[in-house]
Each structure stands twice: as structure tokens, then as C-alpha cells.
Amino acid sequence: MSRRVAQRRLPAVRGVMGSVAAVAAGLILVAGTAGTAAAVPAGDGTRPAVDCGSGQETKQPSAAAAAAARAATAEPPAAATGTAAEKISYSLPSQLPIGMWSPSGITLRTPVTKGTVRLDVRSRGFSTDSLTVQRYVPKTHKWTDLKTRSTGSGTHGVFTFPVTASASAAHPHSVALRIQDLDRPGTLTVTASVDDGKGRTYRAPARTATATRPDVSVSGRTGGERLNRGGAPSAPFTLTVKNTTDRPYPALYATYFAYGAGKSHALAPKDLVLQQYRPGHGWERVPLVAGGCDPGMSAALLPTAKGPLAPGATASYRLRIAVAATAPRDVSRADAGVTVGNGDLSFFHQELPFAIR
């Protein structure tokens, strides 16, 4: 994951989450990485070491899938784009599923000497600051971020990279790119151009894509329930994820989180009982894990389907929560909720607080 991705992940997810408590953000932002309870990335894009006895070794079901998804995008497409008459061509899929890299590409059919490729991106529904664009460097076999330049507008971004190529119509030169939206749904239009280093600039036809994500809903519970210490669990509620995009989601994950504090005490994982219903297995307890230095907790929900979530497919998580008799008496409320994401990005959040008596 690049430094810019790490830097942008926090404001992007904040845009999805709204007013959720900061401790909850720390629990859910990294739900697809090494552990569910790691801290929020620091401002320089690195994750600080957390050693607070938080038990961060909890297995995250999406981690292996995330690694597989990254491996799947390691090798770029080699095919040229556009027509022979175009000095520069640019390709972009019609959909950009949030939380996944989408393939893109530039093809040159004119000689370029120490030139610059420029992508002018205009967006609607989200800020271009939430976009990350990378190019593949064959020499290093790595993806690298394109340079960005501020335009003073949150809906107009400029991405550039240097290029030298002895290209022609008969021997085109292609550069593999990939793009990712870290924020919310909307549309974007990309106009690609190249300065050939000799005073000439060529432009490709503009391409437009829709940034989209699966539909997610919670039914059977709206928050505000009152649960008794040592009493019956809440009424079952269901988190439903339907993949309405045109791409499989290879690293889909769902997380439940909770936080509660009184004047002298805070809720611990032993004070809440989270259960998930699975057909053929019945109600199974899902362990909650403490959240690093913060008195919060989270749990990676059990996968409901094998493999990627295909276009049109649905994943459902049926849950219920109970308060154990050990819950401290001075804690009368818990801020809780669910998140859904792909890889290391959360794209949905809903708060489900409850009172404790």
C-alpha cells in the first residue's frame, strides 16, 4: 500500500462514517490488514507500533483474500488501447468499484523525448483528493504513485508522470495504470494528454467512469435498544451486502465494533457476547478483541460465502448482542455498529448504539 493511500484512507472513511466516535474509527479502518484492533495510521502514512496488551493477533478473515487480490493486480495488461490514428489513447473501465484497483492505461503512437503524460480528472460526488492513480514500472516490477498538482479545486485533479518512448503507429508504446477511489460514489471524467518534449501536445478522447460500491443495509434493528446485564440477547438483526457492481469483490469483510465507558470503568470484550447465526451451525459466538490503547473492541464477522462476492450476489450476516453480568455498573450505554469494506478500506458504516441497565 502506498503512502498516499494510507494518508488518504482516514479522511475518506470519515466521509463515509459521519459522526462515529474516534475510537471506533481506529478499530474499523484497518479491518482488512494485520489485525482488527490496530491504531489509525499516523499522519506520515505509517502505522505506529501499538503494544498495550490488546491481543492484536486475532485472525482477520479478509487478510488472505486481500493478499490474493493484490497478487491478482500485480501484472498489468499489455494490450495497446485506442486506434492507430490516435497519437495518444487512454483506457478506463465504465465502473470503478470503491476499495479496489481498476485497470487503466496509456498508449502512445508518436515519439516522445523526456515528455510528460498528464491526466486531468474532474469529479462529481466526491473529491479528486480521494483518488489514487499509479503506473507500473517494468524495471522494478512495482507500482508507483503518479505526481499530483493542486488546482485549488476539490473536483479537479492533475496527475502526471515522465515518459520517453520511440513510439509510432506501427510500434505503439503502452503504460499500464491503475486507479482507485477511496471515498464515495460519483462520476469522474479523465482527459489524458502528452507533451512530447518538443513543444507539441497531443490529447486523447475524454473517458468517463462511475465510482460505485455494493448496496449495504441493516434490517431488524435501528439502535436504541435497552439490554439487561446478564439478560437475554437483542433481537436478531441482519447486515446484508449485495454486490451491485460489475466486478467481484475478492476481499470483502464485515466488522462489528463497540465502545462503552462510565465514570470509572469501560466495557471489555468479556462484557459483551456477540453471536452470529450460520445455517447448519446455529448461533456461534464471535470473539471480540480489545482495541489497542483504547477501551473499545471489534470482531471480524464470520464469512458467509466462499470466494469473492460475485456481481449480483448477496452476503448476509445475522447477528445478536448480549450484555454479560460482568459489565461494569457505571456503564449505561454502548456505542456500537457495523462496517463493511474490501481489503483495507471501509466503504460502509452504520451505528447501532444500545443502552445497558
Side-chain angles (χ1 to χ4, degrees):
M1 182 177 63
S2 70
R3 176 169 292 188
R4 269 176 70 237
V5 174
Q7 288 173 325
R8 288 176 173 176
R9 187 193 308 142
L10 180 55
V13 177
R14 275 180 179 160
V16 177
M17 288 164 34
S19 62
V20 66
V23 63
L27 294 171
I28 65 176
L29 283 172
V30 292
T33 54
T36 59
V40 178
D44 65 353
T46 61
R47 271 179 41 199
V50 179
D51 185 13
C52 306
S54 59
Q56 295 186 59
E57 298 304 318
T58 298
K59 182 179 179 181
Q60 172 55 251
S62 67
R70 287 192 294 271
T73 61
E75 292 299 326
T81 64
T83 66
E86 294 175 342
K87 301 296 186 181
I88 178 174
S89 307
Y90 176 66
S91 64
L92 185 70
S94 60
Q95 283 193 16
L96 304 178
I98 296 174
M100 290 198 292
W101 288 109
S102 294
S104 182
I106 288 285
T107 297
L108 302 175
R109 295 182 176 85
T110 187
V112 176
T113 304
K114 294 183 179 179
T116 300
V117 171
R118 169 173 168 150
L119 304 180
D120 280 89
V121 184
R122 297 186 182 275
S123 63
R124 292 187 62 184
F126 58 91
S127 171
T128 54
D129 289 339
S130 70
L131 288 175
T132 297
V133 186
Q134 296 183 334
R135 67 183 175 98
Y136 187 74
V137 182
K139 283 187 177 181
T140 61
H141 303 286
K142 293 181 180 180
W143 291 94
T144 183
D145 290 340
L146 270 59
K147 293 182 179 179
T148 60
R149 194 185 74 190
S150 175
T151 63
S153 169
T155 59
H156 179 202
V158 176
F159 301 80
T160 63
F161 65 91
V163 64
T164 294
S166 57
S168 65
H171 299 92
H173 174 78
S174 295
V175 179
L177 304 174
R178 64 182 187 179
I179 186 169
Q180 185 183 63
D181 174 24
L182 301 177
D183 198 350
R184 55 176 66 89
T187 60
L188 62 85
T189 298
V190 183
T191 302
S193 61
V194 62
D195 170 6
D196 70 357
K198 298 179 180 179
R200 292 182 293 269
T201 298
Y202 303 97
R203 289 179 174 80
R207 304 296 182 192
T208 298
T210 301
T212 186
R213 64 188 179 204
D215 285 340
V216 187
S217 61
V218 178
S219 59
R221 188 171 177 220
T222 59
E225 285 81 357
R226 298 176 64 87
L227 301 179
N228 294 322
R229 291 176 180 80
S234 67
F237 58 99
T238 302
L239 171 65
T240 302
V241 184
K242 183 176 181 179
N243 187 1
T244 52
T245 76
D246 62 0
R247 298 256 305 278
Y249 266 70
L252 184 75
Y253 71 86
T255 303
Y256 181 90
F257 67 89
Y259 167 84
K263 292 183 178 180
S264 304
H265 303 88
L267 291 176
K270 64 182 178 61
D271 300 322
L272 297 180
V273 179
L274 175 66
Q275 292 180 310
Q276 180 177 343
Y277 184 84
R278 293 203 301 165
H281 298 269
W283 288 101
E284 298 183 64
R285 184 164 182 171
V286 183
L288 289 153
V289 180
C293 298
D294 297 309
M297 64 194 82
S298 66
L301 301 183
L302 302 174
T304 63
K306 293 182 179 179
L309 187 66
T314 298
S316 295
Y317 307 83
R318 193 179 185 203
L319 308 169
R320 66 185 184 187
I321 187 75
V323 180
T326 58
R329 293 289 170 179
D330 62 331
V331 179
S332 60
R333 173 187 168 85
D335 292 315
V338 291
T339 62
V340 179
N342 187 72
D344 58 5
L345 175 70
S346 168
F347 57 73
F348 172 86
H349 163 85
Q350 183 166 328
E351 295 181 65
L352 299 169
F354 56 87
I356 301 174
R357 57 186 179 184

